Amino acid sequence: MNKALIEGLVVEWIKEAAQKIKDSFQNELEIDQKSGRNDLVTNMDKETETFFVEKIKEHFPDHRVFGEEGIAEKLEDLAGVVWIIDPIDGTLNFVLQQRDFAISIAIYVDGVGELAYIYDVEREELYTGERGKGAYLNGKKIPPLDKNKTLDDLLLIINQSTLYHYPELRKAISRSRGLRLQGAATLEFMSVATGRAGAYVSRTLQPWDIAAGKIIAGEIGAIVTRMDGTEIDMLTGGTIVVASPKIHEELVQNYLS
Ligand code: IPD
Ligand code: CA
Ligand code: CA
């Protein structure tokens, strides 16, 4: 796999897709509900996924693509080179606020995360990560997380439904510096990766919500697991805890078991 070639193309495609999404603000969106009124899909989610699938298939016909909107294939395994795409993460924000949404692309080889890209479209912030080579924000290296920080030092990101199902987490919030929510899993991962928050905890994330974030946050020294501390596979949805090591341990041992 020629990583430099992929990197050049992906960055070009992301910028092109982001411009199309921004241009769509002038037009009326076609909006459909998926599982409910807060789970939306727009014509731009579908068009953006189609755009990436076509580009990948044109340049890398033997790579497989796995995406949220079902335009890409549904996978049974992670053999070979697999692209995992969330064309718009934070669709509700995109529809209601036109900000705090992102394009997320990850490349896994035989199940191992190799390359990751998360683009905050409105802020024009591109987070990138490569296994073993660190992570970058708009080309600038993101410093490693401060491993000495504990729950008492930082903010937490936990959504309402997670708090409802895991009420012990309220005690963790009381110990922390407070609660914040952005409403886009990929950007919430990046808040932890850049030290703006100590942890992000969610009970219902899909592989496309976490595939890129896991690589980038991992490069900065964050621990990313299920709530019971077990490894995540990129084929099934489930719970997630992303945090710096001490905070991850505190959450898993004291507030999630
Ligand atoms: C959603 C967002 C949201 C998270 C949901 C995701 P989508 O992704 O990341 O923050 O709480 O679980 O499904 O549907 O906007 O791509
Ligand atoms: Ca999405
Ligand atoms: Ca998503």
Side-chain angles (χ1 to χ4, degrees):
M1 195 176 68
N2 184 338
K3 287 188 177 175
L5 170 74
I6 291 180
E7 171 112 6
L9 288 170
V10 176
V11 172
E12 187 188 306
W13 299 341
I14 285 176
K15 296 285 167 72
E16 196 179 330
Q19 191 55 53
K20 286 180 204 270
I21 293 170
K22 282 184 182 164
D23 292 345
S24 79
F25 292 158
Q26 325 292 331
N27 310 323
E28 203 176 318
L29 285 171
E30 292 162 29
I31 306 171
D32 291 316
Q33 290 185 15
K34 296 204 280 190
S35 60
R37 63 192 281 266
N38 293 329
D39 184 14
L40 306 178
V41 60
T42 73
N43 57 307
M44 289 314 296
D45 295 74
K46 293 178 194 160
E47 283 171 32
T48 305
E49 185 165 312
T50 303
F51 170 82
F52 284 114
V53 172
E54 286 178 358
K55 293 281 189 198
I56 296 161
K57 289 289 169 197
E58 180 192 333
H59 287 82
F60 308 103
D62 56 331
H63 293 186
R64 298 192 294 160
V65 193
F66 181 33
E68 175 169 21
E69 305 308 342
I71 291 135
E73 22 185 334
K74 183 113 192 75
L75 302 183
E76 303 284 321
D77 62 71
L78 291 171
V81 183
V82 177
W83 296 59
I84 305 177
I85 296 179
D86 193 341
I88 299 180
D89 179 47
T91 298
L92 202 57
N93 289 347
F94 167 59
V95 170
L96 297 178
Q97 305 183 310
Q98 289 86 52
R99 64 179 62 196
D100 287 332
F101 63 91
I103 295 169
S104 177
I105 296 180
I107 300 170
Y108 281 68
V109 180
D110 294 327
V112 178
E114 293 288 346
L115 294 168
Y117 305 87
I118 292 175
Y119 188 57
D120 179 331
V121 174
E122 198 260 336
R123 293 185 181 82
E124 299 183 352
E125 288 180 340
L126 178 64
Y127 298 88
T128 58
E130 180 178 344
R131 186 172 64 86
K133 299 268 170 65
Y136 294 79
L137 169 53
N138 284 345
K140 199 168 164 223
K141 192 149 187 156
I142 304 174
L145 288 177
D146 182 343
K147 292 197 164 60
N148 294 317
K149 294 266 197 268
T150 69
L151 260 182
D152 307 74
D153 300 314
L154 294 168
L155 296 162
L156 295 180
I157 305 172
I158 309 170
N159 65 27
Q160 204 186 353
S161 114
T162 305
L163 280 176
Y164 178 80
H165 286 88
Y166 294 86
E168 280 294 299
L169 281 171
R170 290 175 199 279
K171 294 179 189 161
I173 294 169
S174 303
R175 267 194 56 202
S176 77
R177 306 295 293 276
L179 184 65
R180 294 291 182 276
L181 274 181
Q182 206 167 354
T186 57
L187 297 180
E188 287 163 324
F189 259 82
M190 294 305 94
S191 287
V192 177
T194 51
R196 296 191 293 264
Y200 170 47
V201 186
S202 178
R203 58 181 279 271
T204 51
L205 291 182
Q206 297 300 322
W208 46 82
D209 296 314
I210 59 180
K214 182 173 186 289
I215 297 171
I216 297 171
E219 284 300 313
I220 305 305
I223 310 290
V224 187
T225 66
R226 299 290 184 205
M227 281 187 188
D228 61 3
T230 56
E231 264 294 309
I232 293 159
D233 74 272
M234 284 299 154
L235 287 171
T236 48
T239 64
I240 190 99
V241 187
V242 47
S244 58
K246 271 192 184 162
I247 298 178
H248 185 277
E249 195 182 325
E250 287 182 283
L251 286 170
V252 170
Q253 289 188 0
N254 302 331
Y255 302 100
L256 293 168
S257 48

